[in-house]
Amino acid sequence: MSDHKNSAVTEAAAIRLENVEKTYAARGDNGAVTALHSVDLAVPEGNILGVIGKSGAGKSTLIRLVNGLERPTTGRVIVHGTDIAALSERDLRDQRRSIGMIFQHFNLLSRRTAFNNVALPLEIAGLSKAEIRKRVLPLLDLVGLADKADRYPAELSGGQKQRVGIARALATNPRVLLSDEATSALDPETTAQILALLKKVNAELNLTVLLITHEMSVIKAVADRVAVIDGGRIVEDGETYDVFTHPRHATTRRFVSELTGTALPDHLLARIGPIPAPDKRALIQLTFKGEGANQPWLSILTRKLDMDLGIIQAKVDHIAGKPFGTLVVSAAAGRDQLVALQREAATLGLETEVLGYA
């Protein structure tokens, strides 16, 4: 697990959770439930941090703590130097103007046009019609909906509704944007467009974004940093490329393998065992990064070692804009051959892992 109290990150953090625990009281026959355990997490100023976990892992509780919809049982939730849990209800309402929120199901008012949905938080804040118009029209232009200002939600596609939701979240000039599964109700093409828009507003407005998701592809597309949550605990966090290329926790490895294609097919997994045998071959995963992702590693290793290597699976991808690839090969299971392969791979800058024998 990485160090969640890295001082360089924490000092420049827009959002900090310090030793946060959240327990829900017993209800009826159900006992008390602890949704978050000793969570330490920092979101650097101007970064996009993605929090990923399965359903029930504690993601939604975490984001509700940041916007003050829930208060921690213990610990502190600090947004730009303000302890959210210590605020009165009145001060919390004021604080929320600096925290934008976008939702999975858009939460638009059906009887309001796109313009008036975006205008709603400004009306609540007491701005004049002229001030509202001056703010809303550029936001609709920013999210690509300048020509849809007078359309109602029923007349908009899912992606367009989410763009309205993003514009509304930006209406009060927030410094922090919270995204709660904002793309999970959208098709892949629309998801890509919305993620590109989030990246754009992050860069152009210098917004800090905390993004909750259960999809590693979302993390890969936009996040500078990632935190993996499992059972209410942050089990791993760090820069996206580092976490993808060196996943340490079992939960992280499962998420990464689902996306990078490093998970072996079921028919092969059923035949793999941990013990070598004369009639079995070793399955070795080679990991290569950076410019090395473009090299013909199978040919290079076969030639250098004079070894028969079979290709089982291969994939090259880009994580946080940098190449990253995996290659699974089969080789003779003799100890000397495996040692020679691992030594030569290390010399070439490749990482190796023996997955088993089949």
Side-chain angles (χ1 to χ4, degrees), residues 167-355:
R168 180 185 57 191
L170 300 175
T172 56
N173 287 314
R175 299 173 66 189
V176 166
L177 182 63
L178 308 181
S179 170
D180 188 6
E181 299 280 10
T183 60
S184 61
L186 304 174
D187 63 75
E189 182 179 354
T190 306
T191 291
Q193 294 169 356
I194 294 300
L195 293 177
L197 177 57
L198 287 178
K199 195 79 172 173
K200 176 182 177 181
V201 299
N202 162 252
E204 293 187 6
L205 305 179
N206 194 34
L207 276 176
T208 301
V209 181
L210 176 60
L211 183 149
I212 301 295
T213 185
H214 65 277
E215 300 171 294
M216 207 62 167
S217 58
V218 171
I219 301 292
K220 172 193 164 189
V222 297
D224 302 300
R225 298 180 63 84
V226 57
V228 182
I229 189 168
D230 186 33
R233 302 179 189 276
I234 301 295
V235 296
E236 189 162 352
D237 76 281
E239 293 187 6
T240 299
Y241 190 79
D242 293 340
V243 171
F244 266 81
T245 56
H246 292 96
R248 291 181 290 278
H249 193 273
T251 299
T252 313
R253 288 197 291 271
R254 284 195 297 272
F255 276 122
V256 169
S257 66
E258 289 170 6
L259 182 63
T260 61
T262 56
L264 295 175
D266 291 341
H267 72 86
L268 187 55
L269 285 173
R271 295 165 38 208
I272 291 180
I275 301 173
D279 61 337
K280 293 185 176 182
R281 288 174 66 84
L283 299 183
I284 304 106
Q285 179 174 290
L286 305 170
T287 301
F288 37 92
K289 299 179 289 183
E291 295 306 315
N294 300 316
Q295 296 297 316
W297 293 119
L298 189 66
S299 298
I300 292 171
L301 289 168
T302 300
R303 185 172 61 252
K304 281 181 172 289
L305 296 169
D306 191 24
M307 183 182 292
D308 178 24
L309 297 175
I311 185 167
I312 303 296
Q313 182 173 270
K315 185 172 183 179
V316 177
D317 210 335
H318 283 76
I319 310 297
K322 302 175 186 176
F324 166 69
T326 56
L327 174 66
V328 179
V329 300
S330 66
R335 175 176 171 76
D336 290 346
Q337 291 97 323
L338 290 183
V339 169
L341 174 59
Q342 290 174 313
R343 183 184 299 119
E344 185 61 34
T347 300
L348 295 170
L350 307 179
E351 298 176 11
T352 59
E353 178 184 357
V354 178
L355 303 177

Side-chain angles (χ1 to χ4, degrees), residues 100-109 114 117-118 139-140 142-145 148 152-171 177-187 189-198 201 211-212 215 218:
M101 184 86 183
I102 54 177
F103 305 89
Q104 176 180 358
H105 297 297
F106 322 129
N107 289 11
L108 302 181
L109 298 178
N117 265 285
V118 177
L139 284 173
L140 288 173
L142 175 68
V143 302
L145 293 179
K148 300 290 191 294
Y152 288 88
E155 301 175 282
L156 301 175
S157 68
Q160 289 169 338
K161 291 175 186 176
Q162 194 57 283
R163 289 172 183 271
V164 174
I166 293 172
R168 180 185 57 191
L170 300 175
L177 182 63
L178 308 181
S179 170
D180 188 6
E181 299 280 10
T183 60
S184 61
L186 304 174
D187 63 75
E189 182 179 354
T190 306
T191 291
Q193 294 169 356
I194 294 300
L195 293 177
L197 177 57
L198 287 178
V201 299
L211 183 149
I212 301 295
E215 300 171 294
V218 171

Side-chain angles (χ1 to χ4, degrees), residues 23-226:
T23 298
Y24 293 98
R27 295 182 180 178
D29 296 332
N30 298 319
V33 175
T34 300
L36 294 176
H37 302 263
S38 303
V39 170
D40 289 299
L41 187 65
V43 187
E45 184 79 41
N47 271 212
I48 300 177
L49 183 139
V51 177
I52 187 167
K54 298 292 187 183
S55 296
K59 305 186 303 296
S60 294
T61 298
L62 188 152
I63 205 168
R64 287 171 65 85
L65 289 171
V66 175
N67 66 14
L69 292 174
E70 302 277 1
R71 294 178 184 260
T73 305
T74 60
R76 299 201 304 163
V77 179
I78 300 168
V79 180
H80 285 115
T82 299
D83 186 349
I84 296 295
L87 296 176
S88 66
E89 285 300 324
R90 179 176 179 177
D91 289 340
L92 182 57
R93 285 194 295 272
D94 292 338
Q95 177 70 18
R96 285 199 184 113
R97 291 175 187 168
S98 69
I99 303 173
M101 184 86 183
I102 54 177
F103 305 89
Q104 176 180 358
H105 297 297
F106 322 129
N107 289 11
L108 302 181
L109 298 178
S110 61
R111 295 187 178 183
R112 279 181 165 252
T113 63
F115 181 99
N116 288 330
N117 265 285
V118 177
L120 182 60
L122 302 175
E123 293 174 11
I124 294 172
L127 273 66
S128 69
K129 288 185 178 181
E131 290 172 316
I132 289 173
R133 185 174 183 82
K134 186 177 180 180
R135 178 65 181 154
V136 172
L137 291 179
L139 284 173
L140 288 173
D141 185 52
L142 175 68
V143 302
L145 293 179
D147 60 337
K148 300 290 191 294
D150 296 327
R151 299 292 181 87
Y152 288 88
E155 301 175 282
L156 301 175
S157 68
Q160 289 169 338
K161 291 175 186 176
Q162 194 57 283
R163 289 172 183 271
V164 174
I166 293 172
R168 180 185 57 191
L170 300 175
T172 56
N173 287 314
R175 299 173 66 189
V176 166
L177 182 63
L178 308 181
S179 170
D180 188 6
E181 299 280 10
T183 60
S184 61
L186 304 174
D187 63 75
E189 182 179 354
T190 306
T191 291
Q193 294 169 356
I194 294 300
L195 293 177
L197 177 57
L198 287 178
K199 195 79 172 173
K200 176 182 177 181
V201 299
N202 162 252
E204 293 187 6
L205 305 179
N206 194 34
L207 276 176
T208 301
V209 181
L210 176 60
L211 183 149
I212 301 295
T213 185
H214 65 277
E215 300 171 294
M216 207 62 167
S217 58
V218 171
I219 301 292
K220 172 193 164 189
V222 297
D224 302 300
R225 298 180 63 84
V226 57

